[in-house]
Amino acid sequence: MKRSRKNYSPEFKAKVVLELLQENKTINEIASKYGILPKSLIEWKKQFLENAALAFDKSSVVKEYKQEIENLKEENEKLAKKLGKVIVERDWLQGKLKSLDLLIRKTLIDNSEGVQAKTQKNPSLSLNRQLELLSISKTAYYYTKKEPFSSKEDKILLDAIDKIYTEHPYYGARRMQKALESIGIKVGKRKLSRIYKFMGIRALYPPPKTTILNKENKKYPYLLEQITTTQRPNQIWSGDITYIKLEKGYAYLATIIDWHSKKVLSWKLSNTMDSYLTTSILEEAIEKYGKPEIFNSDQGSQYTSKEHIEILEKNGIKISMNAKGRSIDNIAIERFWRTLKYENVYPKGYNTIKEAREGINQYIEIYNSQRIHSSIGYKTPDMVYYNLSNEMLGSKIKDLLKAA
């Protein structure tokens, strides 16, 4: 039997998307708050951003929807003529409601404040009567689905998988299972597969059979095969996405790094993982630092999207993509993920997106300006990128000590 879908008003969608764009809560938290699927929230956000320009061109909006307004007027007139059939239709709908899926019927319940008080001014049905009409028991109505992997043991397991995968992003389910056994954690392959999907690992690293590809998007060859060392800043940039585990759900961190200096050029922490996340930091990096000769990424749908490719082509940037299943091709940014998580994310244990954004921002500032790297001659990324001397670094450290 065909199931009806619940329709949300444009005002409600706009309200939810604006809350999503504030990025102070994970997509799971917002979806749970309003009883909406995360997939729907991602689609609403995409529609909102694609049509944002219409807010500044009212004439085009009026022209575009003028015919629709006329159609609605005509439809309203027809509906007014059908009011005489309301009793027959009510009886018919009552029978149909009982055949709907339980989850759909639960969405039809009006449980607003004062619903129990039936008066002439407030003729709403009581909650008990609504449950009776919809054939829903009180037990079914008050049942709340348990959050997956929320037990203490599961959280320990997720943390272990997170740490192992950050260090060995090429591990498949079988290797991950063996790695967990080596530290005393046993988990079945089916549960491990469910956890991989829940954590979003498939969308973040490209080991065999885990990269989410868009078959319609063009893939580009890997251009860095013969490059062993870079010669200068802005020769090669790398882009990638990783997840940050929070108390409730996950946030997604997109970053662009300069291969030569290891400097983090641009980054953004978001509650959704879409093409806007990657295009926004790419435009920001180009505006601040110019453009690179080559931009390297994995073959994920965010980097093969039309929007991301157009920015690269418009600026004359050569496009390079990792071979399928080879995260090692993007080694510069993979090493940064490991450093960030072991030195900041794991010790801090962030609970909210706001905490994570503030903490990661402080860490990246220190990473760029103060943290020395053995791979670049025990200098900081800023020193190498801007070609600063050791004396200038020493002077800066002295200033910091005096300020402290």
Side-chain angles (χ1 to χ4, degrees):
M1 181 177 290
K2 186 176 179 180
R3 297 179 178 177
S4 61
R5 299 176 60 185
K6 183 173 182 180
N7 294 320
Y8 297 94
S9 68
E11 293 79 6
F12 176 81
K13 291 182 179 179
K15 172 187 173 183
V16 175
V17 170
L18 289 173
E19 184 173 347
L20 185 66
L21 291 174
Q22 291 176 2
E23 298 189 340
N24 290 323
K25 294 182 180 178
T26 66
I27 192 170
N28 287 342
E29 288 178 293
I30 296 175
S32 177
K33 177 181 177 181
Y34 293 102
I36 303 168
L37 292 175
K39 182 179 179 180
S40 298
L41 292 181
I42 293 172
E43 183 61 27
W44 293 358
K45 176 184 175 183
K46 180 180 178 183
Q47 294 176 3
F48 184 92
L49 294 175
E50 288 176 349
N51 295 283
L54 295 177
F56 302 96
D57 189 2
K58 296 181 179 179
S59 61
S60 65
V61 177
V62 172
K63 182 178 180 181
E64 182 178 353
Y65 293 103
K66 185 176 180 179
Q67 184 60 45
E68 184 175 349
I69 293 172
E70 293 298 322
N71 292 339
L72 288 173
K73 288 181 178 179
E74 183 178 346
E75 186 177 350
N76 284 337
E77 291 176 359
K78 292 180 180 179
L79 289 173
K81 296 177 181 179
K82 294 181 179 181
L83 287 177
K85 302 179 181 180
V86 67
I87 297 177
V88 175
E89 292 176 352
R90 181 198 61 190
D91 294 340
W92 178 83
L93 285 172
Q94 194 171 34
K96 290 292 184 181
L97 284 173
K98 294 180 180 180
S99 65
L100 293 176
D101 182 85
L102 175 61
L103 292 177
I104 297 176
R105 282 180 283 145
K106 286 175 72 173
T107 64
L108 300 176
I109 295 174
D110 178 11
N111 194 23
S112 57
E113 184 178 356
V115 73
Q116 297 285 353
K118 181 181 177 182
T119 65
Q120 291 183 349
K121 294 183 178 180
N122 180 21
S124 300
L125 294 173
S126 69
L127 178 59
N128 289 339
R129 180 56 177 159
Q130 291 182 64
L131 294 176
E132 182 182 350
L133 290 172
L134 294 170
S135 298
I136 301 174
S137 68
K138 281 194 173 182
T139 301
Y141 175 68
Y142 287 109
Y143 172 74
T144 302
K145 187 177 180 181
K146 186 178 179 181
E147 185 74 17
F149 310 114
S150 58
S151 69
K152 183 178 180 180
E153 292 75 15
D154 283 338
K155 288 181 180 179
I156 293 173
L157 174 59
L158 265 62
D159 281 342
I161 292 173
D162 187 10
K163 292 178 181 179
I164 293 171
Y165 206 88
T166 298
E167 188 168 355
H168 303 285
Y170 44 85
Y171 273 12
R174 185 175 301 174
R175 287 188 178 185
M176 177 61 73
Q177 188 180 37
K178 295 296 183 183
L180 290 169
E181 288 179 0
S182 69
I183 58 174
I185 300 177
K186 292 186 177 181
V187 59
K189 289 183 180 179
R190 289 186 178 180
K191 182 173 182 179
L192 190 56
S193 297
R194 294 199 306 271
I195 291 174
Y196 267 33
K197 185 176 181 180
F198 173 73
M199 295 175 71
I201 288 177
R202 289 172 59 89
L204 305 175
Y205 296 103
K209 300 181 181 179
T210 59
T211 301
I212 295 179
L213 304 176
N214 187 326
K215 295 181 180 179
E216 297 180 358
N217 292 348
K218 179 181 177 180
K219 310 302 183 297
Y220 292 77
Y222 185 62
L223 304 180
L224 311 182
E225 194 71 49
Q226 306 301 323
I227 300 177
T228 55
T229 58
T230 53
Q231 305 297 322
R232 57 195 174 279
N234 290 358
Q235 182 180 355
I236 302 169
W237 287 1
S238 280
D240 200 4
I241 302 172
T242 191
Y243 64 87
I244 304 297
K245 188 179 75 67
L246 305 174
E247 183 180 22
K248 296 181 180 179
Y250 291 83
Y252 302 94
L253 175 64
T255 303
I256 294 176
I257 195 169
D258 176 66
W259 268 44
H260 181 70
S261 64
K262 317 304 179 192
K263 177 178 174 63
V264 176
L265 304 175
S266 180
W267 65 277
K268 180 179 176 65
L269 188 68
S270 177
N271 50 14
T272 52
M273 186 171 56
D274 48 28
S275 60
Y276 178 72
L277 176 61
T278 55
T279 56
S280 61
I281 65 169
L282 177 58
E283 291 177 330
E284 178 183 327
I286 292 174
E287 182 179 354
K288 287 184 177 180
Y289 302 102
K291 58 185 181 181
E293 295 178 19
I294 301 173
F295 186 90
N296 188 74
S297 69
D298 62 23
Q299 296 182 17
S301 59
Q302 295 83 9
Y303 294 102
T304 60
S305 68
K306 177 183 176 182
E307 296 84 358
H308 197 271
I309 296 299
E310 282 181 348
I311 296 174
L312 296 173
E313 291 180 338
K314 182 179 67 175
N315 288 277
I317 300 169
K318 296 179 182 178
I319 304 171
S320 171
M321 292 185 178
N322 304 345
K324 186 178 179 181
R326 281 182 55 86
S327 60
I328 197 70
D329 288 344
N330 217 2
I331 189 63
I333 203 161
E334 296 292 344
R335 286 175 176 169
F336 172 69
W337 291 149
R338 179 181 177 181
T339 300
L340 169 69
K341 290 193 174 184
Y342 274 86
E343 295 184 0
N344 181 262
V345 175
Y346 294 147
K348 296 291 186 181
Y350 297 118
N351 293 320
T352 66
I353 290 182
K354 182 179 180 181
E355 288 180 7
R357 187 178 291 115
E358 292 174 353
I360 292 172
N361 180 61
Q362 292 175 0
Y363 177 80
I364 290 179
E365 288 181 358
I366 294 172
Y367 175 91
N368 279 337
S369 63
Q370 300 178 40
R371 189 185 187 281
I372 59 176
H373 297 248
S374 59
S375 61
I376 52 176
Y378 295 96
K379 296 180 179 180
T380 69
D382 278 349
M383 289 176 65
V384 176
Y385 188 86
Y386 296 113
N387 194 25
L388 302 176
S389 64
N390 286 323
E391 289 76 12
M392 296 180 70
L393 174 63
S395 176
K396 187 171 184 179
I397 291 176
K398 288 180 181 178
D399 292 340
L400 290 171
L401 292 173
K402 288 180 181 179

